[in-house]
């Protein structure tokens, strides 16, 4: 199985060019850090994952790297200048810890205009920032980057009489880049689709293998096996595999219980591809058939999911999706008698929060909870084509909920899809994973047959 194509160097250059247009207007530069290895215990480290913004703009996945982007001339005749500082080649270090791209590789393979070894950063950065009126950086995300900038600015100020011009303003890079990331470009959408397709394959495998007696961690391992064998770097967030009452714990990641006949299992898991992440939740009966109570709750959540997706249209917004889901959920809670009140009262008095305590949607992209503003000028941001968001209503009835009939207790159901906003209406990117009751029971039932 081939890992498939990754975005080419041009895709990253296009992203930098879009940002350079914004930077040029403010005579600004953008300073980012690529992240560093995080200690796991003693002298072992977690697998490296580059800083999302840094990778989004460079494609480079090496610890320690620093980038500075400055726009070209405003006549558009010169391209943006990308300066990369990377670890230098070091034969001994590379034998132990892997190959390094080196300054030459940074120029040849990553399109850097100029590239230097990291130990030249303090010496060269002041000159590179000279005349840059605004510097964008992710304030506080990487304390060592804040310190690097502070040293460079101090050095420029000290040489002020030589005619150097230190920066006048500092801006938030997370917001600047987030507003670009929120609209998926062609390369980003390709990566996200691939991440979602791999996520879907993992969910299907879990549905086929899940049955009474299997352990939650075995399904977690199966999901991640499917992700990895398809070339994904692994899950984009901690996989949630919760059966029975565990499904009522929103971020249950212990995944250590055994699946029992008659329970519903909730799996919330997504694969990463090129550092874009899928995000899918499905809930299904461990024995292959819902009980009448489980089925009734499932039907309410599914109706809410479908009502929410219907509102994922240009000009809509996340609040309207949430409202549409709440309307269906409150109606269902009333009809099932989970709360002894009318749907209107359940809605108006927020009584539903006993069983539905989270929001319905978030942006999706490089980060599972992706960058980009949710409100603009204090009001919900209207959807525009190219945005991707989740629609994930649920109902969670903990085992110790004594005022509901027993058949409803210890039941958590969430149905989460990833949706692309298009002029012609929503595209459900997660459609490959069934959610209709008949289709679910068929896939689970068939494999057991
Ligand atoms: Mn989600």
């Amino acid at each position: 199985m081939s890992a498939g194509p990754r975005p080419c160097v041009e895709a990253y250059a296009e992203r930098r060019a879009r940002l350079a247009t914004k930077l040029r207007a403010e005579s600004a530069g953008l300073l980012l850090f690529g992240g560093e290895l995080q200690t796991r215990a003693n002298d072992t480290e977690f697998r490296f994952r580059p800083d999302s913004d840094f990778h989004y703009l460079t494609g480079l996945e090496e610890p320690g790297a620093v980038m500075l982007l400055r726009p070209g001339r405003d006549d558009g005749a010169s391209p943006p200048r990308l300066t990369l500082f990377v670890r230098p080649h070091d034969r001994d270090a590379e034998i132990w810890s892997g190959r390094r791209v080196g300054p030459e590789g940074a120029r040849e393979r990553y399109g850097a205009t100029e590239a230097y070894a990291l130990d030249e950063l303090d010496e060269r950065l002041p000159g590179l920032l000279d005349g840059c009126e605004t510097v964008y950086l992710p304030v506080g995300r990487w304390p060592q980057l804040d310190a690097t900038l502070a040293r460079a600015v101090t050095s420029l100020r000290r040489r002020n009489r030589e005619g150097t011009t230190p920066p006048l303003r500092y801006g938030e890079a997370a917001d600047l880049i987030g507003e670009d990331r929120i609209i998926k470009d062609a390369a980003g959408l390709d990566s996200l689709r691939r991440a979602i397709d791999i996520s879907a394959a993992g969910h299907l495998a879990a549905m086929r293998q899940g049955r009474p007696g299997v352990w939650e961690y075995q399904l977690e391992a199966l999901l991640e096996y499917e992700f990895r064998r398809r070339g994904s770097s692994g899950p984009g967030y901690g996989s949630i595999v919760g059966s029975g009452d565990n499904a009522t714990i929103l971020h249950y990641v212990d995944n250590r219980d055994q699946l029992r006949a008659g329970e519903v299992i909730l799996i919330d898991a997504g694969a990463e591809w090129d550092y874009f992440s899928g995000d899918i939740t499905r809930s299904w009966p461990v024995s292959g058939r819902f009980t009448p109570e489980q089925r009734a709750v499932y039907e309410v959540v599914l109706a809410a999911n479908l009502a929410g997706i219907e509102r994922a249209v240009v000009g809509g917004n996340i609040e309207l999706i949430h409202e549409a889901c709440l309307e269906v959920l409150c109606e269902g809670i009333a009809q099932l008698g989970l709360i002894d009140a009318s749907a209107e009262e359940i809605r108006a008095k927020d009584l539903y929060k006993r069983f539905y305590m989270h929001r319905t949607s978030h942006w999706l992209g490089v980060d599972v909870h992706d960058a980009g503003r949710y409100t603009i000028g204090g009001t919900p941001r209207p959807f525009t084509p190219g945005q991707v968001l989740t629609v994930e209503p649920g109902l969670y009835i903990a085992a110790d909920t004594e005022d509901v009939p027993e058949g409803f207790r210890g039941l958590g159901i969430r149905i989460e899809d990833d949706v692309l906003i298009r002029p012609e209406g929503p595209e459900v990117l997660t459609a490959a994973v069934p959610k209709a009751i008949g289709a679910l029971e068929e896939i689970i039932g068939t494999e057991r047959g």
Side-chain angles (χ1 to χ4, degrees):
M1 195 160 301
S2 105
R6 308 267 170 180
C8 51
V9 66
E10 286 80 15
Y12 298 103
E14 272 175 35
R15 290 171 184 166
R16 294 194 297 270
R18 281 201 303 270
L19 279 181
T21 306
K22 294 186 185 177
L23 295 174
R24 188 176 298 123
E26 303 174 51
S27 183
L30 170 65
L31 185 67
L32 294 178
F33 183 57
E36 61 188 355
L37 287 164
Q38 305 291 325
T39 300
R40 185 174 183 279
N42 194 10
D43 60 349
T44 59
E45 285 132 352
F46 288 104
R47 181 193 297 235
F48 178 67
R49 184 191 188 280
D51 176 84
S52 296
D53 285 332
F54 183 93
H55 184 266
Y56 179 77
L57 292 173
T58 62
L60 181 61
E61 30 191 334
E62 256 195 36
V66 172
M67 68 161 268
L68 177 70
L69 181 67
R70 293 204 58 184
R73 287 197 309 273
D74 55 8
D75 58 9
S78 64
R81 291 187 69 78
L82 172 67
T83 307
L84 283 173
F85 290 88
V86 296
R87 300 176 305 178
H89 282 301
D90 176 333
R91 190 171 157 74
D92 284 343
E94 288 179 65
I95 285 170
W96 283 94
S97 315
R99 296 191 181 91
R100 298 176 172 189
V101 60
E104 203 180 303
R107 284 189 295 271
E108 286 171 5
R109 285 159 47 205
Y110 293 91
T113 317
E114 53 194 328
Y116 307 103
L118 268 168
D119 55 17
E120 296 179 44
L121 180 61
D122 278 340
E123 175 197 327
R124 292 188 179 270
L125 192 58
L128 290 164
L129 286 174
D130 192 7
C132 189
E133 289 181 19
T134 304
V135 177
Y136 281 92
L137 80 161
V139 176
R141 191 190 299 167
W142 300 108
Q144 58 273 65
L145 186 69
D146 297 344
T148 297
L149 177 65
R151 285 194 301 274
V153 171
T154 304
S155 156
L156 275 175
R157 283 196 196 117
R158 234 180 255 137
R159 287 156 40 203
N160 207 219
R161 279 162 302 176
E162 299 167 25
T164 60
T165 313
L168 304 171
R169 290 174 297 272
Y170 302 92
E172 180 47 58
D175 183 67
L176 179 80
I177 304 168
E179 288 303 293
D180 190 75
R181 278 170 49 182
I182 194 168
I183 307 293
K184 272 59 193 173
D185 57 21
L189 196 53
D190 280 351
S191 294
L192 187 53
R193 283 183 192 278
R194 187 129 188 163
I196 289 169
D197 289 349
I198 295 171
S199 308
H203 277 267
L204 286 167
M207 284 175 183
R208 292 187 179 112
Q209 296 293 319
R211 68 196 66 205
V214 168
W215 295 81
E216 291 167 349
Y217 53 76
Q218 293 177 327
L219 291 187
E220 178 186 9
L222 180 66
L223 281 158
E224 297 180 7
Y225 168 69
E226 293 296 332
F227 296 171
R228 290 289 283 140
R229 85 186 185 93
R230 286 172 165 78
S232 157
S233 50
Y237 55 94
S239 302
I240 297 168
V241 182
S243 57
D245 194 42
N246 294 337
T248 67
I249 300 165
L250 297 179
H251 290 157
Y252 173 81
V253 290
D254 294 344
N255 304 345
R256 61 181 165 212
D257 282 347
Q258 199 169 21
L259 279 59
R260 288 178 302 195
E263 288 179 338
V264 168
I265 184 167
L266 181 157
I267 297 183
D268 183 344
E272 220 176 32
W273 178 267
D274 195 47
Y275 304 106
F276 279 78
S277 183
D279 187 5
I280 304 178
T281 309
R282 288 293 184 267
S283 313
W284 37 271
V286 166
S287 310
R289 292 284 177 277
F290 284 113
T291 66
E293 290 91 344
Q294 291 166 351
R295 172 183 285 260
V297 174
Y298 189 90
E299 279 173 344
V300 169
V301 176
L302 181 58
N305 165 281
L306 295 171
I309 290 171
E310 228 172 78
R311 308 295 163 90
V313 293
V314 173
N317 66 56
I318 273 179
E319 283 307 312
L320 293 175
I321 289 182
H322 189 57
E323 290 295 325
C325 288
L326 278 185
E327 199 180 315
V328 175
L329 293 175
C330 291
E331 186 65 41
I333 289 168
Q335 288 209 343
L336 295 174
L338 294 175
I339 295 175
D340 185 18
S342 68
E344 293 70 32
E345 197 182 345
I346 292 169
R347 173 76 190 88
K349 294 185 177 167
D350 288 347
L351 304 179
Y352 62 85
K353 285 187 176 170
R354 275 186 76 196
F355 302 121
Y356 184 49
M357 50 298 275
H358 60 79
R359 306 288 298 176
T360 304
S361 302
H362 57 79
W363 307 131
L364 181 69
V366 177
D367 297 329
V368 65
H369 296 161
D370 205 29
R373 295 179 205 160
Y374 282 89
T375 56
I376 290 179
T379 57
R381 173 186 208 130
F383 294 145
T384 50
Q387 292 175 341
V388 177
L389 61 136
T390 65
V391 178
E392 49 179 309
L395 286 173
Y396 312 92
I397 310 166
D400 59 2
T401 313
E402 282 169 8
D403 58 345
V404 304
E406 207 176 328
F408 290 118
R409 297 181 202 162
L411 175 62
I413 289 173
R414 176 163 69 252
I415 307 172
E416 174 178 34
D417 285 301
D418 304 337
V419 183
L420 169 67
I421 304 291
R422 301 178 305 175
E424 63 269 42
E427 179 184 347
V428 180
L429 302 172
T430 40
V433 198
K435 60 183 173 181
I437 288 180
L440 271 184
E441 289 186 340
E442 193 178 326
I443 181 169
I444 297 164
T446 304
E447 294 297 321
R448 302 224 161 88

